[in-house]
Every structure is written in C-alpha cells, then in structure tokens.
Amino acid sequence: MARLIDEGKIRRIKEATIQLVVQNGYGGAAISSIAKRAGVAEGYLYRFYSSKQELVTELLYSKVAQIVEKLESLLETCTSTTEVMGQLIGELFRMGIETPGEIKFIYVLMHDYNFQVSDLQRQHIKGLIEKVIKIGIANGELKNKITVEEAYGMVIIYPIEFINLRMKGFFGTKEWTTEEQNRVVEFSINALK
Amino acid sequence: MARLIDEGKIRRIKEATIQLVVQNGYGGAAISSIAKRAGVAEGYLYRFYSSKQELVTELLYSKVAQIVEKLESLLETCTSTTEVMGQLIGELFRMGIETPGEIKFIYVLMHDYNFQVSDLQRQHIKGLIEKVIKIGIANGELKNKITVEEAYGMVIIYPIEFINLRMKGFFGTKEWTTEEQNRVVEFSINALK
DNA sequence: CGAATATGAATGAACAATCATTCATTTAAT
DNA sequence: ATTAAATGAATGATTGTTCATTCATATTCG
C-alpha cells in the first residue's frame, strides 16, 4: 500500500471552504483560494468531491445536521418547550462564540436560493418541530393551533437571525450576555404563547 | 444633441440583475447574462455604474429604501404599533405577491456578508424602530425595556424570513392567506409584549 | 533485516470556458 | 453635420476541472 490519506488536508479544505464562502459568498470562493488557504494542491479536493457544488452542499448538510441532532437529543431529555428552546438557543450562542464561521456558513447558505437543505433533512426537522409543538401544548406553554412553519420560524430561524445580526454588528455591539440569550428564548416563547 | 438615453434599457438591466442575483447569487450573476436578458450590449451598464458591485449595491439600497420609506410613512399616520406592523407586514406580503423578485433580492443580499446596508440607511432604520418602540410603550402594547435590535428582529427580520420560507416552499405551501398574514403580526407583537 | 516494488496519495501545469471591464466603432436623433 | 447613445469584439485575468506525473510509504521478497 501507499501512504495513508492525510485527514488533516481534508479538514483544512473544509475549514478553508467555510471561511471563504462566508467571506466572499459561494461564487466568490474560488477553488484556487480554497486550496491555497488549505495548503493543498488545487486539484486535490476532486479526489473526495466531484465538484465545488458537492463540496459545499455536503459541508452544509453536515453542519445543519449538528444542530438538528442537538435538537433531537434535547427532545429526549427536556420536559418543556421552554427548556428545549433555552438549551437550543444556548447551543446556537455557543456556536457563535466558539465556531462563528460555522454558524455564519449555515446562515449564508440557508438564504441562498441555490442551496436547499436536503429533503430528508427537511422531513427530519419537520418531525422534530412537531414534537416541540406537542410538548408545548401538553404543558400549556404554547397556544393550541400552531403550524410547523410558525414554530420553525421562532424556534430555529429567529435565533439564528438574532445571532448573525449581532455578529455583523448591525447595531454596533458584537458580544452578548447570558441575559440577552434568555431574552431571545423569552421572545420566541412569547410569540407562540 | 444626439438621441436621448433609453430609460427602458436601464430599467431592464435592473430587472435582469435582480432576477439573476436571486437565481444564481451575486457571483453567479454574470454581466454577460444580465446584458443578454436585458437585451442590451454587454458593456452598456458601465455607462451608469462603475462596476458590477456598484450596480448591485445601489439596487439593494433603493429596494431597502422602499421598505424603509413605507415604514416612515406608516409612523406618520398610524397610532398603534399593532397598526404599524399590520400595515408593514401587509406591504411585505404584497411585495411577495406582486414583485417576488424584489423581496427575494433583498432577502438574498441582506444575508450576504459582503453586502451591508449603508450606514446612513442603518441609522435611519434605527431611528424608525425607536419610534415604533415609543408608540408601543405609550400604548401599553409593548413591554418597557426592548432594545432596537430586538424590535428590529421581530418587526423587520421575522416577517421577511417568514415570507421567504413560504416562497421557497420549505414546508410545501407557496401561497398565503390574509389570516396567515395577521398571524405573523400577532406573533411579532406577542413576542415583544 | 534491508532493499525492491507496488500502490495510491498528492501535485500542479494545462485546459477550455467564462469572467468583468474597456473602448474603438457604429447608429440615430438633433 | 454634430453629438452622444449604444454596441459588441477584444482583453487579460480568473474560473472549475482534469490528468499525467511525482513522491512517500506499506508490503513483499531475497
């Protein structure tokens, strides 16, 4: 056998891709710059991905999956919607602090009309949001008639938007506190109450 | 004098740019395709804009200005936050029906880390949102301590997100009713209550 | 054990296609 | 005839992708 695949290179390609897509958009993230930043040869990524589109799409799916899996695990342990949302938003804020590139990456691509989350993932999300609603109604935290879409907007979209508004420093500030984090939960829950 | 500038060509360039940026993203919207779709020569737009970036930026500013001006005029006639938001969201839904491209265009670029709304516009928006909060507190519709950022998220961002979620058909449906429109208002107001 | 070989990891020059932009030229209205 | 609107071929840079080549090392064999 020849030498083993250097997983570090693949990792660096992924990191560089995330950084450059956030910085320059999908179209502005050139393969040449990705390769340069990752410190690998230009053509290297084609051994693992058949195209730039596939690279970015798979990366998006995997990052979205992280959030979806977090929500899934929360639904197994939490007993109230408030708790689920508190934990989930906590996780999103944590991502914003620890790996800001990743949440920006999701943010940028989820608003691109070329990148849709996979059908499977969308179905999965739908099921999880239905559970959130179920728990909320059982606990009297949410009003009776809420659609999946409405809950999704408040549980997932609004917090992501809030965090990115902050990260862009749209109104000056770029940091956040635990109290602010709790207020995001409060607003989301209030909306659906 | 020679012949007059054909304003139709400029208009068609703007329309084509909006369509293609929505369809393919900023990087994917080639000048050659914009010109082809607009039915003008390739280099024509450089008589009015110094670059592609300037064309798209100016277009974004003007479209955002439409919404901002609408909010401004509402603040002169409406007497409650609920009324302001009802009318504003009504306007956004109307845009979604009548000129879906325009709201998609704003939606796509406002989430791009390369395109920030102009400083002037941001200041303007800030002032208007402060007015919305003032009215809301005076009327007892909103809780006392709300930041501009929080109100902006619910008054502007959330409705735009909701409409685009619909237009993408994320959960199947692509149309909307007046009742749904009212529910968006209800959610936003509830959040800040 | 140590050298030869085979394997496939990794490279980067080369490709055609496409990009944004320029400007000499043409066209048409005054 | 004059003037400026409008054209679109041409430019050089950059794009995503390919693939012949190089290189490191795991395995095999003496």
Side-chain angles (χ1 to χ4, degrees):
Chain A
M1 267 212 280
R3 60 189 143 165
L4 299 170
I5 290 176
D6 185 344
E7 296 291 341
K9 297 193 184 203
I10 302 167
R11 206 202 57 241
R12 266 146 43 210
I13 286 173
K14 289 179 179 174
E15 286 169 359
T17 304
I18 289 174
Q19 285 170 25
L20 286 164
V21 166
V22 170
Q23 211 166 96
N24 309 320
Y26 175 79
I31 296 290
S32 59
S33 13
I34 290 172
K36 184 180 277 182
R37 179 170 298 209
V40 301
E42 282 212 25
Y44 186 56
L45 69 91
Y46 291 94
R47 307 195 100 265
F48 308 96
Y49 305 95
S50 70
S51 68
K52 179 184 167 186
Q53 173 90 29
E54 191 191 289
L55 161 63
V56 174
T57 302
E58 286 202 7
L59 217 37
L60 175 64
Y61 287 1
S62 75
K63 295 301 164 191
V64 169
Q66 279 180 24
I67 295 176
V68 173
E69 277 159 25
K70 179 70 188 179
L71 177 58
E72 189 157 38
S73 81
L74 286 175
L75 282 166
E76 282 164 14
T77 59
C78 300
T79 53
S80 74
T81 299
T82 309
E83 202 185 340
V84 170
M85 289 195 51
Q87 296 279 349
L88 183 67
I89 291 169
E91 173 72 11
L92 293 174
F93 272 75
R94 212 171 298 122
M95 281 181 77
I97 292 166
E98 286 164 19
T99 52
E102 294 190 11
I103 201 161
K104 284 182 186 178
F105 180 74
I106 292 174
Y107 174 81
V108 166
L109 293 181
M110 78 189 292
H111 296 96
D112 192 312
Y113 269 83
N114 292 309
F115 289 90
Q116 289 261 121
V117 166
S118 76
D119 276 5
L120 210 78
Q121 238 168 10
R122 213 192 53 242
Q123 283 292 103
H124 192 178
I125 292 170
K126 196 178 174 186
L128 294 175
I129 296 290
E130 277 164 356
K131 273 194 190 172
V132 172
I133 296 173
K134 211 171 183 178
I135 294 173
I137 291 176
N139 275 21
E141 295 169 285
L142 306 185
K143 79 170 122 231
N144 267 354
K145 299 274 182 191
I146 296 175
T147 68
V148 174
E149 205 175 21
E150 289 162 347
Y152 178 73
M154 284 297 171
V155 174
I156 307 281
I157 301 292
Y158 175 70
I160 291 182
E161 290 296 321
F162 185 87
I163 289 169
N164 276 279
L165 203 59
R166 265 301 165 88
M167 296 204 290
K168 277 192 175 178
F170 193 74
F171 288 115
T173 334
K174 289 212 175 200
E175 310 296 319
W176 51 70
T177 64
T178 319
E179 292 119 74
E180 287 180 310
Q181 185 176 321
N182 292 334
R183 282 170 73 84
V184 172
V185 179
E186 196 187 313
F187 285 133
S188 298
I189 291 278
N190 270 356
L192 305 172
K193 196 171 274 175
Chain B
M1 269 212 281
R3 63 188 142 163
L4 299 171
I5 290 176
D6 185 343
E7 295 293 339
K9 297 193 184 200
I10 302 169
R11 205 199 61 242
R12 265 146 44 211
I13 286 174
K14 289 179 179 175
E15 286 169 1
T17 303
I18 289 173
Q19 286 170 26
L20 286 164
V21 166
V22 170
Q23 212 167 94
N24 308 319
Y26 175 79
I31 296 290
S32 60
S33 11
I34 290 171
K36 184 180 274 180
R37 179 170 298 206
V40 301
E42 279 211 29
Y44 186 57
L45 69 93
Y46 290 93
R47 308 197 100 265
F48 309 97
Y49 304 96
S50 69
S51 69
K52 180 184 166 186
Q53 174 89 27
E54 190 189 291
L55 161 65
V56 173
T57 301
E58 286 202 8
L59 217 37
L60 175 63
Y61 288 1
S62 77
K63 294 303 164 190
V64 169
Q66 279 180 25
I67 294 177
V68 172
E69 278 160 23
K70 179 70 188 180
L71 177 57
E72 190 157 34
S73 81
L74 286 175
L75 281 167
E76 283 164 12
T77 58
C78 299
T79 54
S80 73
T81 299
T82 309
E83 201 185 341
V84 171
M85 290 196 49
Q87 296 279 348
L88 183 68
I89 291 169
E91 173 71 10
L92 292 174
F93 272 75
R94 212 171 298 120
M95 279 181 76
I97 292 165
E98 286 164 19
T99 53
E102 294 192 10
I103 200 160
K104 284 182 185 177
F105 180 73
I106 293 173
Y107 174 80
V108 165
L109 293 182
M110 78 189 293
H111 295 96
D112 192 312
Y113 269 82
N114 292 310
F115 290 91
Q116 288 259 121
V117 167
S118 77
D119 276 5
L120 210 79
Q121 237 167 11
R122 214 195 50 241
Q123 283 293 102
H124 193 177
I125 292 170
K126 196 179 173 185
L128 295 175
I129 296 291
E130 277 164 357
K131 273 193 190 172
V132 172
I133 295 174
K134 211 171 182 177
I135 295 173
I137 291 176
N139 275 23
E141 294 168 287
L142 305 186
K143 79 169 118 228
N144 269 354
K145 300 275 180 189
I146 296 175
T147 67
V148 174
E149 203 176 20
E150 289 163 349
Y152 178 73
M154 283 299 170
V155 173
I156 307 280
I157 302 292
Y158 175 70
I160 291 181
E161 290 297 319
F162 185 88
I163 289 169
N164 276 280
L165 202 61
R166 263 303 164 85
M167 293 205 290
K168 275 193 176 177
F170 193 74
F171 288 115
T173 335
K174 292 212 175 200
E175 310 296 319
W176 52 70
T177 63
T178 318
E179 292 120 75
E180 287 179 309
Q181 185 176 321
N182 292 335
R183 282 172 71 85
V184 172
V185 180
E186 195 187 314
F187 285 133
S188 297
I189 291 279
N190 271 354
L192 304 174
K193 196 172 277 175

